[in-house]
Amino acid sequence: MRKLIFYSRAIDGIDDQNYSKFYEWNFDSNNGFLGRDYGKSLDSLKSFSEKESFYLEKLYEKFLKKTVSNLNAYHRVNEKEKNWEIIIGPWLRVCLFGFYERWQAVNKISRIENVSIITEKFSLTNIVTEDFEDFTNKFYEELWNAQVYTIMCHLKKITVETKLKAAKIKKQKKIKTFYLKDVFFIFFHRFLFFLFNMPKFFKDHKFIALINIPGSLNIGFDLIKKKSSFPLILNREFNHISNNKINSLSRIKPLAKIVSKENLSFEDFIGDLLWMVMPKSYLEDFADISYKAKQKLKRVRLMNIVSSSQHWFNDFLKIWIFHKKINDPKIKTSIWQHGGTYGFSKVITHQEYIETKVFDRFYSWGWGKNKKNIFPMTVLPKILKRNKSKSISNKNQILIILTRVKTYSKGDPWDSEEWNIDYMNQLMKFSNFANSKKKKISFRLNPSSMASINLKTFLRTNDFIDLNKDKSLNEAISNSDIVVITQNSTALIQSFYANKPTILFWNERLNGIRIEAKEEFQMLVSAGIFMSDFKEISSFFDKDKNEIQKWWNSSEVQRSVKSFLNLYASNKENIFFK
């Protein structure tokens, strides 16, 4: 019987060598990157089709209603679905899409004859996370995923052998960091509170909360100058530590009722599995967090709450917004776009979906003019670094900006098994080109290594290949002759603003462009900025660097870049928060 292992420690409990390491991604020097080790030659898991994506969108709405109903019953309240979605939307969508991808893998495993899963006895403490931030980290961990796969294998009636001792998970204490600038903000706010609490100033004043907004201090002073609103700059105000016990009976009971049933579909069990793995911040810790959240800025009358990224990960903040909306439905909640891909990618990311659906206003970087709740504004200040020079650099190198290659998928097209294999094999071609042509290539790794395949071990450095060590991405771009963007991301906007010869290179089938962006995208294609064929880009690299610079400075190329930036990274509008 072929044994399948979901995590590395399980090898210690196996005597024979007839096992496959599902958690590893295989690479062969002759055949390239091969994907996961299933122990049998099987096709890689494909990115979700449009039909599957549509199905999951409908499923999300269905289980959102069910989860909200369960939460209202559990907490003995009757709050609106839209308010609950501020809290649970990010988790529910990522979990649902990610679990669907894992269920596909389990269906694939079920087609292997005489396969057995080797695992250990897990407990709820292994799989229930503290909050969404903790969930985001665990979602990509080997051991956490091993338990998810094991539960699904039980539901699929695949043989599971429990041979190892239960894992002991050490809880990491959350430490609240405190910075000098926090002290400044505290005294700054106290002074202004005193000033604006004086009757003649306070009566008609409008307050706006800026949550971790880049350049918030400058924006705040600008809002005061315009007398449009009074800013509350809240950068490190939303932390919580709770230690309530897991309600095992409530979590396990629904799934336990159906585990013995045959031929379960994904839809048959996913609602019960979601309830079982739900972060504690939505169940056991919710009352404690709510009590603390209600005390935060209790007497301040807010007009608008603006966030850029904290609303996604920080459950305390989300629960605070939840209660603010309940107490005063007139308060507006707003999101300022914080990265690329928005408005451009064919498949809407989880963040764009939630942010444009749930919150009252979404301030984009220029796109979405005719959308109901989208307000085209300006790109974040840190992106706006325009290089006016039209000369070439002194380092004579090709910079390849890489994205993360994730070990586990959350249901995006750019982290599927199919996408990973395609992406890694394209990187091999860049390496082979550098060695054969003796061209200097510098790979810029994504600064976040969380949940990623270690590209340092995959990309072999030599006289022609190195790993870029510049402190910032802007510095790396500035020091290069040509920049290659390998994923639809913020990096392409930064490179365009730096006015460096830039090539966009990715698989358009796996990472498509939405209809609304086709016109601007086609301009990039016509100008020769976007390529998807490696033969085309390798021929481009063979050109003299002066010829490349002349091409980049041409009116057609500059016009297409400017048109793209005007729509997806605008700097025309002043910053405003209505």
Side-chain angles (χ1 to χ4, degrees):
M1 179 172 280
R2 186 73 183 177
K3 295 177 174 60
L4 196 62
I5 301 168
F6 289 131
Y7 58 108
S8 55
R9 194 178 62 210
I11 296 174
D12 299 336
I14 300 177
D15 297 327
D16 63 69
Q17 299 298 311
N18 186 30
Y19 59 82
S20 300
K21 302 176 184 177
F22 178 84
Y23 58 89
E24 286 192 351
W25 290 79
N26 294 332
F27 171 75
D28 181 276
S29 57
N30 295 318
N31 298 312
F33 197 72
L34 304 174
R36 291 196 181 280
D37 181 7
Y38 287 88
K40 185 178 179 181
S41 179
L42 297 169
D43 292 335
S44 62
L45 289 179
K46 305 295 184 184
S47 298
F48 295 157
S49 65
E50 287 189 25
K51 185 178 179 180
E52 287 175 311
S53 295
F54 181 76
Y55 165 71
L56 289 170
E57 298 285 1
K58 294 294 183 183
L59 214 57
Y60 169 81
E61 295 299 332
K62 175 182 176 179
F63 283 102
L64 174 64
K65 293 183 185 300
K66 182 177 179 180
T67 306
V68 166
S69 176
N70 289 340
L71 284 170
N72 276 330
Y74 185 91
H75 296 296
R76 298 179 182 179
V77 296
N78 187 28
E79 303 302 346
K80 294 179 181 178
E81 180 182 300
K82 188 170 184 179
N83 289 339
W84 272 115
E85 196 172 8
I86 292 172
I87 301 174
I88 68 170
W91 164 78
L92 180 62
R93 190 172 163 91
V94 170
C95 211
L96 182 68
F97 279 62
F99 279 4
Y100 183 76
E101 190 272 347
R102 285 153 182 74
W103 181 243
Q104 286 182 319
V106 169
N107 281 324
K108 189 174 170 180
I109 292 168
S110 70
R111 298 197 297 270
I112 303 172
E113 293 182 5
N114 298 320
V115 66
S116 175
I117 308 302
I118 306 300
T119 188
E120 62 189 77
K121 184 179 179 180
F122 292 105
S123 68
L124 276 180
T125 55
N126 297 104
I127 199 169
V128 175
T129 55
E130 295 295 319
D131 51 28
F132 183 67
E133 186 175 8
D134 186 33
F135 165 80
T136 301
N137 294 329
K138 295 280 178 58
F139 188 80
Y140 295 109
E141 287 182 2
E142 195 178 279
L143 191 62
W144 190 89
N145 278 280
Q147 185 165 0
V148 173
Y149 283 118
T150 300
I151 291 168
M152 289 184 176
C153 285
H154 276 297
L155 295 171
K156 193 66 179 177
K157 303 299 180 287
I158 297 171
T159 303
V160 177
E161 299 180 44
T162 306
K163 291 189 175 182
L164 304 172
K165 293 181 180 179
K168 291 183 179 180
I169 305 297
K170 291 183 179 180
K171 288 188 177 180
Q172 294 182 346
K173 292 183 178 180
K174 289 188 176 181
I175 301 173
K176 183 178 177 180
T177 54
F178 205 68
Y179 296 90
L180 185 61
K181 64 180 180 180
D182 294 323
V183 178
F184 169 76
F185 282 129
I186 290 170
F187 282 104
F188 176 69
H189 281 139
R190 285 183 178 176
F191 167 73
L192 290 176
F193 266 120
F194 171 76
L195 179 66
F196 283 94
N197 269 290
M198 294 171 65
K200 63 179 180 179
F201 290 102
F202 183 72
K203 186 178 179 182
D204 298 317
H205 209 82
K206 299 176 180 178
F207 287 81
I208 179 170
L210 302 178
I211 316 292
N212 274 83
I213 300 293
S216 56
L217 193 58
N218 292 333
I219 295 170
F221 279 119
D222 190 47
L223 291 172
I224 292 173
K225 194 186 300 181
K226 293 177 180 177
K227 299 180 180 180
S228 58
S229 56
F230 173 69
L232 297 176
I233 302 171
L234 307 174
N235 287 350
R236 298 183 178 275
E237 307 289 327
F238 301 94
N239 294 287
H240 76 277
I241 299 175
S242 299
N243 196 28
N244 294 308
K245 290 184 178 179
I246 294 171
N247 188 339
S248 301
L249 181 62
S250 174
R251 287 176 177 273
I252 295 174
K253 191 175 180 180
L255 194 64
K257 288 181 179 179
I258 65 168
V259 71
S260 61
K261 293 183 179 180
E262 299 286 338
N263 302 318
L264 288 170
S265 68
F266 180 73
E267 203 166 336
D268 290 334
F269 71 81
I270 188 57
D272 298 328
L273 181 57
L274 288 168
W275 183 258
M276 190 178 83
V277 306
M278 184 180 290
K280 285 175 60 187
S281 51
Y282 310 154
L283 288 176
E284 295 88 353
D285 295 340
F286 182 78
D288 287 350
I289 299 172
S290 289
Y291 175 78
K292 294 171 187 174
K294 288 176 183 178
Q295 309 308 312
K296 187 71 67 177
L297 300 179
K298 189 176 181 179
R299 294 182 177 86
V300 178
R301 295 176 61 190
L302 291 172
M303 174 188 72
N304 196 353
I305 300 171
V306 184
S307 173
S308 180
S309 60
Q310 283 296 301
H311 63 279
W312 188 256
F313 296 104
N314 193 317
D315 279 343
F316 188 101
L317 172 62
K318 287 184 273 188
I319 293 171
W320 176 74
I321 295 173
F322 172 84
H323 288 294
K324 283 291 184 185
K325 291 288 285 184
I326 291 171
N327 294 333
D328 184 3
K330 293 181 180 179
I331 292 176
K332 299 300 180 184
T333 54
S334 306
I335 306 301
W336 191 3
Q337 181 180 331
H338 52 275
T341 306
Y342 286 80
F344 188 56
S345 174
K346 182 178 181 179
V347 176
I348 296 177
T349 64
H350 299 311
Q351 285 175 267
E352 183 182 337
Y353 179 88
I354 294 293
E355 291 167 354
T356 55
K357 172 180 182 280
V358 178
F359 295 90
D360 298 307
R361 297 184 178 118
F362 181 85
Y363 299 111
S364 77
W365 289 357
W367 60 276
K369 187 176 181 181
N370 298 319
K371 302 287 184 179
K372 184 179 179 181
N373 66 325
I374 298 178
F375 295 79
M377 199 165 65
T378 181
V379 69
L380 291 175
K382 63 182 180 180
I383 305 296
L384 302 175
K385 290 188 178 181
R386 181 73 171 168
N387 178 17
K388 295 181 180 180
S389 173
K390 295 186 177 183
S391 62
I392 56 178
S393 73
N394 295 320
K395 291 200 174 182
N396 187 26
Q397 68 175 8
I398 300 167
L399 179 69
I400 314 288
I401 299 177
L402 307 183
T403 188
R404 283 191 297 161
V405 183
K406 297 175 184 175
T407 49
Y408 296 96
S409 172
K410 64 177 183 178
D412 287 324
W414 42 84
D415 60 13
S416 68
E417 192 174 320
E418 179 187 21
W419 187 92
N420 283 0
I421 292 171
D422 178 80
Y423 188 82
M424 294 293 280
N425 287 330
Q426 292 297 344
L427 296 190
M428 276 188 64
K429 291 179 181 178
F430 282 116
S431 295
N432 294 336
F433 171 84
N435 290 322
S436 63
K437 297 283 188 174
K438 295 183 171 33
K439 289 270 189 180
K440 188 176 180 182
I441 282 182
S442 183
F443 288 104
R444 175 80 178 183
L445 301 180
N446 189 290
S448 174
S449 59
M450 184 186 75
S452 303
I453 293 171
N454 189 352
L455 296 181
K456 287 183 180 180
T457 59
F458 178 77
L459 298 168
R460 296 177 181 177
T461 58
N462 54 35
D463 291 341
F464 307 107
I465 300 172
D466 68 27
L467 301 180
N468 185 270
K469 295 180 180 178
D470 288 319
K471 288 183 179 180
S472 69
L473 179 57
N474 283 322
E475 185 180 343
I477 291 170
S478 179
N479 290 334
S480 304
D481 288 332
I482 306 169
V483 179
V484 178
I485 308 295
T486 60
Q487 167 70 341
N488 183 357
S489 64
T490 314
L492 75 88
I493 292 171
Q494 288 175 275
S495 191
F496 279 177
Y497 259 112
N499 200 25
K500 280 286 179 178
T502 303
I503 296 295
L504 312 184
F505 181 79
W506 60 72
N507 188 327
E508 192 181 355
R509 180 180 66 82
L510 298 178
N511 195 358
I513 308 301
R514 70 184 65 172
I515 294 174
E516 295 90 335
K518 282 290 184 182
E519 183 177 343
E520 280 68 29
F521 181 72
Q522 190 55 49
M523 287 180 69
L524 299 179
V525 174
S526 299
I529 296 172
F530 176 82
M531 301 178 186
S532 58
D533 186 338
F534 192 81
K535 289 182 179 179
E536 185 180 6
I537 197 170
S538 61
S539 298
F540 179 83
F541 289 156
D542 283 335
K543 293 181 179 179
D544 178 83
K545 61 182 181 180
N546 291 307
E547 185 181 354
I548 291 173
Q549 192 67 46
K550 184 179 179 181
W551 159 79
W552 180 255
N553 293 333
S554 68
S555 58
E556 182 185 6
V557 169
Q558 289 295 309
R559 187 166 54 250
S560 63
V561 169
K562 185 177 180 180
S563 176
F564 182 88
L565 290 177
N566 283 342
L567 187 58
Y568 295 103
S570 174
N571 190 27
K572 286 184 176 180
E573 298 289 339
N574 291 324
I575 294 173
F576 64 92
F577 296 115
K578 292 184 179 179

